[in-house]
Amino acid sequence: MSEEDDDDKHGIGIELLMYHAMNAVKVCRLQYDLLNCKEYEEAVKYKAALDAFAEVVEDIYDYENYGFFSTTVHAKRSGLPCNVRCGCDREWILEPYLDENQEPRFAKVIRFENCRNRGSGYDRKNDLCMTISDTPEILGGRDKCVLSDDEIQRIKEFVITNKEAILAHARGETDSSEFLAACLRKREGK
């Protein structure tokens, strides 16, 4: 194995480690939200430790995933109300959530900016997830989203129209330029 191959292997290993650590943090936060005893000293300490750990992991995860494993569909070209990010790696599109039994599960998602007219100070940690399906939904609930119902509907229509292109991109079958071209062709009705 060459030194270059070895570096690639370590880089991918670190990215996967951060992916799994980030998802563990997300699951812990979802489960913490269900606690009835958040005022107890142990719960307060746990939350502080979880938040401190999450800040470090989120920064690394954000750098790795948004820097290397996503393609941004820009609002200016797409006609969407905000930028949308689609993963170009199988694991990128999986987002943890708790099912009706409070068990961790994973959904295939895109991420979209939770804002209008984004300024330079927007933090991608505010992005929300929408499931990739024939009936897309905001993972985590509508109440966290600042977009109007009409704006959310436009993102849902984008997901429905481009579902196969989004999933092919996540499987690594298309690169960013092919994926974006496919989305624009669908938008233009070609």
Side-chain angles (χ1 to χ4, degrees), residues 74-76 78-82 84 110 112 116 130 136 147-162 187:
H74 291 278
K76 289 179 193 174
S78 68
L80 293 170
C82 60
V84 173
I110 62 162
F112 65 95
R116 288 188 188 88
M130 182 173 288
L147 300 176
S148 70
D149 289 342
D150 289 339
E151 291 168 323
I152 292 170
Q153 185 59 37
R154 286 172 40 207
I155 298 171
K156 287 181 179 185
E157 289 167 5
F158 170 83
V159 171
I160 293 166
T161 302
N162 295 291
R187 181 172 182 247

Coordinates of all heavy atoms in Angstrom, one line a residue, residues 74-76 78-82 84 110 112 116 130 136 147-162 187:
H74 N -27.7 25.5 -4.7 CA -27.9 26.9 -4.3 C -29.3 27.4 -4.6 O -29.8 27.1 -5.7 CB -26.8 27.8 -4.9 CG -25.4 27.5 -4.4 ND1 -25.0 28.0 -3.2 CD2 -24.5 26.6 -4.8 CE1 -23.8 27.6 -3.0 NE2 -23.4 26.7 -3.9
A75 N -29.8 28.2 -3.7 CA -31.1 28.8 -3.9 C -31.3 29.6 -5.2 O -32.3 29.6 -5.9 CB -31.5 29.6 -2.7
K76 N -30.2 30.4 -5.5 CA -30.2 31.2 -6.7 C -30.5 30.5 -8.0 O -31.3 30.9 -8.8 CB -28.9 32.0 -6.9 CG -28.7 33.0 -5.8 CD -27.3 33.7 -6.1 CE -26.9 34.5 -4.9 NZ -25.5 35.0 -5.0
S78 N -31.6 27.1 -8.1 CA -32.6 26.1 -8.0 C -34.0 26.6 -7.9 O -35.0 25.9 -8.2 CB -32.3 25.2 -6.8 OG -32.5 25.9 -5.6
G79 N -34.2 27.9 -7.5 CA -35.5 28.4 -7.2 C -36.0 28.0 -5.9 O -37.2 28.4 -5.5
L80 N -35.2 27.3 -5.1 CA -35.7 27.0 -3.7 C -35.5 28.2 -2.8 O -34.8 29.1 -3.0 CB -34.8 25.8 -3.2 CG -35.0 24.5 -3.9 CD1 -33.9 23.5 -3.5 CD2 -36.4 23.9 -3.7
P81 N -36.2 28.2 -1.6 CA -36.2 29.3 -0.7 C -34.9 29.4 0.1 O -34.6 30.4 0.7 CB -37.4 29.0 0.2 CG -37.6 27.6 0.2 CD -37.2 27.1 -1.2
C82 N -34.1 28.3 0.0 CA -32.8 28.3 0.8 C -31.9 27.3 0.1 O -32.3 26.6 -0.7 CB -33.0 27.9 2.2 SG -33.8 26.3 2.4
V84 N -29.9 23.9 -0.2 CA -30.1 22.5 0.2 C -28.8 21.8 0.0 O -28.1 22.0 -1.0 CB -31.2 21.9 -0.6 CG1 -31.4 20.4 -0.4 CG2 -32.5 22.6 -0.4
I110 N -32.0 14.9 3.3 CA -31.2 16.0 2.8 C -31.2 17.1 3.9 O -32.0 17.0 4.9 CB -31.8 16.7 1.5 CG1 -33.2 17.2 1.9 CG2 -31.8 15.7 0.4 CD1 -33.7 18.2 0.8
F112 N -31.3 21.2 4.9 CA -31.6 22.5 4.3 C -31.4 23.6 5.3 O -31.6 23.4 6.5 CB -33.0 22.6 3.7 CG -34.1 22.4 4.7 CD1 -34.8 23.5 5.2 CD2 -34.6 21.2 5.0 CE1 -35.8 23.4 6.1 CE2 -35.6 21.0 5.9 CZ -36.3 22.1 6.5
R116 N -34.1 32.5 6.0 CA -34.4 33.2 4.7 C -33.3 34.2 4.5 O -32.8 34.8 5.5 CB -35.7 34.0 4.8 CG -36.9 33.1 4.8 CD -38.1 34.0 4.8 NE -39.3 33.3 4.9 CZ -39.8 33.0 6.1 NH1 -39.3 33.5 7.2 NH2 -40.9 32.2 6.2
M130 N -34.7 16.9 6.0 CA -35.9 16.4 5.5 C -35.7 15.0 4.9 O -34.7 14.8 4.3 CB -36.4 17.4 4.3 CG -37.7 17.0 3.7 SD -38.4 18.2 2.6 CE -38.9 19.5 3.7
P136 N -41.9 13.4 1.9 CA -40.9 14.0 2.7 C -41.4 14.7 3.9 O -42.5 15.4 3.8 CB -40.1 14.9 1.8 CG -40.7 14.9 0.5 CD -41.9 14.0 0.5
L147 N -39.1 28.6 7.9 CA -39.7 28.8 6.6 C -41.2 28.7 6.6 O -41.8 28.0 7.5 CB -39.1 27.7 5.6 CG -37.6 27.8 5.4 CD1 -37.2 26.6 4.6 CD2 -37.1 29.1 4.9
S148 N -41.9 29.3 5.7 CA -43.3 29.2 5.6 C -43.7 27.8 5.0 O -42.9 27.1 4.5 CB -43.9 30.3 4.6 OG -43.5 30.0 3.3
D149 N -45.0 27.5 5.2 CA -45.5 26.2 4.7 C -45.3 26.1 3.2 O -44.9 25.1 2.7 CB -47.0 26.1 5.0 CG -47.3 25.8 6.5 OD1 -46.3 25.5 7.2 OD2 -48.4 26.0 6.9
D150 N -45.5 27.2 2.4 CA -45.2 27.2 1.0 C -43.8 27.0 0.7 O -43.4 26.2 -0.3 CB -45.7 28.5 0.3 CG -47.2 28.7 0.3 OD1 -47.9 27.7 0.4 OD2 -47.7 29.8 0.2
E151 N -42.9 27.6 1.4 CA -41.4 27.3 1.2 C -41.0 25.9 1.5 O -40.3 25.3 0.8 CB -40.6 28.3 2.1 CG -40.7 29.8 1.6 CD -40.2 30.8 2.6 OE1 -40.3 30.6 3.8 OE2 -39.6 31.8 2.1
I152 N -41.6 25.4 2.6 CA -41.3 24.0 2.9 C -41.9 23.1 1.8 O -41.2 22.1 1.4 CB -41.9 23.6 4.3 CG1 -41.2 24.3 5.4 CG2 -41.9 22.1 4.5 CD1 -41.9 24.2 6.7
Q153 N -43.0 23.4 1.3 CA -43.6 22.6 0.2 C -42.7 22.6 -1.0 O -42.6 21.5 -1.7 CB -45.0 23.1 -0.2 CG -45.7 22.2 -1.2 CD -45.9 20.8 -0.7 OE1 -46.1 20.5 0.5 NE2 -45.8 19.9 -1.6
R154 N -42.1 23.7 -1.3 CA -41.1 23.7 -2.5 C -40.0 22.8 -2.3 O -39.5 22.1 -3.2 CB -40.7 25.2 -2.7 CG -41.8 26.0 -3.3 CD -41.6 27.5 -3.5 NE -40.3 27.9 -3.9 CZ -39.8 29.1 -3.5 NH1 -40.5 29.9 -2.8 NH2 -38.6 29.4 -3.9
I155 N -39.5 22.7 -1.0 CA -38.4 21.8 -0.7 C -38.8 20.4 -0.9 O -38.2 19.5 -1.4 CB -37.7 22.1 0.7 CG1 -37.2 23.5 0.7 CG2 -36.7 21.0 1.0 CD1 -36.7 23.9 2.1
K156 N -40.1 20.1 -0.4 CA -40.6 18.7 -0.5 C -40.8 18.4 -2.0 O -40.4 17.2 -2.4 CB -42.0 18.7 0.2 CG -41.9 18.7 1.7 CD -43.3 18.5 2.3 CE -43.2 18.5 3.8 NZ -44.5 18.3 4.4
E157 N -41.2 19.3 -2.8 CA -41.4 19.0 -4.2 C -40.0 18.7 -4.9 O -39.9 17.9 -5.7 CB -42.1 20.1 -4.9 CG -43.6 20.2 -4.5 CD -44.3 21.5 -5.0 OE1 -43.6 22.4 -5.6 OE2 -45.4 21.7 -4.6
F158 N -39.0 19.5 -4.4 CA -37.6 19.2 -4.9 C -37.2 17.8 -4.6 O -36.6 17.1 -5.4 CB -36.7 20.2 -4.3 CG -35.2 19.9 -4.5 CD1 -34.6 20.3 -5.7 CD2 -34.5 19.2 -3.6 CE1 -33.3 20.0 -6.0 CE2 -33.1 18.9 -3.8 CZ -32.5 19.3 -5.0
V159 N -37.5 17.4 -3.4 CA -37.1 16.0 -2.9 C -37.8 15.0 -3.7 O -37.2 14.0 -4.3 CB -37.3 15.8 -1.4 CG1 -37.2 14.3 -1.0 CG2 -36.4 16.7 -0.6
I160 N -39.1 15.1 -3.9 CA -39.9 14.2 -4.6 C -39.5 14.1 -6.1 O -39.3 13.0 -6.6 CB -41.4 14.5 -4.6 CG1 -41.9 14.4 -3.1 CG2 -42.3 13.7 -5.5 CD1 -43.3 15.0 -2.8
T161 N -39.3 15.2 -6.7 CA -38.9 15.3 -8.1 C -37.5 14.7 -8.4 O -37.3 14.1 -9.4 CB -38.9 16.8 -8.6 OG1 -40.3 17.3 -8.4 CG2 -38.5 16.9 -10.1
N162 N -36.6 15.0 -7.4 CA -35.2 14.6 -7.6 C -34.8 13.4 -6.7 O -33.6 13.1 -6.5 CB -34.3 15.8 -7.3 CG -34.5 16.9 -8.3 OD1 -34.2 16.8 -9.4 ND2 -35.2 18.0 -7.8
R187 N -35.9 20.6 -13.1 CA -36.5 21.9 -12.9 C -37.0 22.5 -14.1 O -38.1 23.2 -14.2 CB -35.5 22.8 -12.1 CG -36.2 24.2 -11.8 CD -35.2 25.0 -10.9 NE -35.9 26.2 -10.6 CZ -35.4 27.4 -11.1 NH1 -34.4 27.5 -11.8 NH2 -36.1 28.5 -10.7

